[in-house]
Amino acid sequence: MPIVPRLFTAALALLLAGCAATPGPAPVSSETTTAGTEQLSDQDLQAKWWTWAASSPENRSPVVDDTGQWCAENQPEDVWFFAGTFGGTVDRRCKMPAGRPLAGPALNLMSTAEGCAQFMADAKGSVTLDGQLLELRRIAPVAVAYQAARGNVVGQREGRVTGQGCGLWAWIPPLKSGEHELLVKGSSGTFSTTARYLFTVSSAG
C-alpha cells in the first residue's frame, strides 16, 4: 500500500502479482504483538500494518480517509498505525490514546521481490514529527503474510494473503499528551503521496 501509507498507480497490479508463489523465507503471521515500545521486526511490522489496512471497506478505511474520522478504525492494542494515500495529499485530524508507539510507512508496497526492487530503487520519503525529521527504516523485500477482510480497500480476496513487502517505515515512541503534527511524504517514479496528521493525544491513555 501507499501508503499511507502505500501503492502507486500500478501497485494494485503488483499487489495481485504478489499473491503468486515467490521463493523466499516463510511468511510470518500478523498475530505477533509487541511489548511496550519495542520495535517489531520488518516482517511483523508489515504483516500487522497490512492486516490493519486491509481490515476495513472503502467507506470506513483509514487509508482513503481524507479527514481523519476513521483514524481509530481497527487499530491494534499495542501500536497505533498511520498511512499515506493512494496518491495525492490529505489532512487528517485524529484523537489517539497515550502510551502507544506510532508506526507507518512514508510509502510501501506489497508485490513480488522483483516488483519491490524496482519500486525501492526510486523510493524517497520522509516523516516529520513536530518539525523534527525522523530516521526511517528502509525495508527490502521480505516475505509477509496478512489477513484481508471481505470488501477490503486494498482489493484483495478475503483471507490470508502472502507476498513480498517493502518500503520506508517509521517507528515512533509513544507521544506525550497534547497536540502533535505528523507529516508523511513519499514518492517513487510518478507516484507521490502526502499525509498531514494533527494528533490529539489523550492523557487518559
Side-chain angles (χ1 to χ4, degrees):
M1 264 180 67
I3 37 258
V4 338
R6 179 205 67 171
L7 304 173
F8 55 116
T9 305
L12 284 178
L14 290 173
L15 180 67
L16 295 175
C19 294
T22 303
V28 298
S29 75
S30 59
E31 298 175 356
T32 306
T33 60
T34 179
T37 60
E38 180 182 355
Q39 292 198 30
L40 293 164
S41 70
D42 292 350
Q43 288 179 315
D44 292 341
L45 173 60
Q46 293 184 99
K48 285 177 71 71
W49 187 93
W50 278 97
T51 294
W52 169 73
S55 65
S56 304
E58 185 171 358
N59 64 344
R60 296 182 63 91
S61 171
V63 180
V64 297
D65 179 13
D66 59 3
T67 66
Q69 64 177 322
W70 303 118
C71 284
E73 187 77 359
N74 296 326
Q75 289 283 1
E77 294 183 355
D78 54 355
V79 64
W80 188 278
F81 286 128
F82 61 83
T85 70
F86 285 103
T89 302
V90 296
D91 284 277
R92 297 168 177 153
R93 292 181 176 270
C94 309
K95 293 182 179 180
M96 66 171 292
R100 294 196 209 176
L102 272 169
L107 78 168
N108 64 327
L109 182 68
M110 185 69 67
S111 180
T112 61
E114 181 180 1
C116 262
Q118 294 175 352
F119 179 75
M120 293 301 293
D122 194 36
K124 302 177 181 66
S126 64
V127 176
T128 305
L129 175 65
D130 295 333
Q132 181 178 353
L133 191 63
L134 305 180
E135 183 177 355
L136 298 182
R137 192 194 315 186
R138 189 178 188 91
I139 299 181
V142 292
V144 173
Y146 67 94
Q147 293 296 317
R150 179 178 299 179
N152 63 83
V153 74
V154 303
Q156 279 294 358
R157 69 186 187 280
E158 181 182 9
R160 187 174 184 270
V161 181
T162 62
Q164 296 284 317
C166 55
L168 300 173
W169 291 79
W171 182 276
I172 305 169
L175 303 178
K176 295 180 180 179
S177 60
E179 295 187 349
H180 300 273
E181 180 184 54
L182 187 74
L183 183 61
V184 182
K185 293 185 176 182
S187 66
S188 180
T190 59
F191 168 79
S192 65
T193 175
T194 299
R196 177 174 175 261
Y197 282 88
L198 292 178
F199 286 111
T200 299
V201 182
S202 65
S203 57

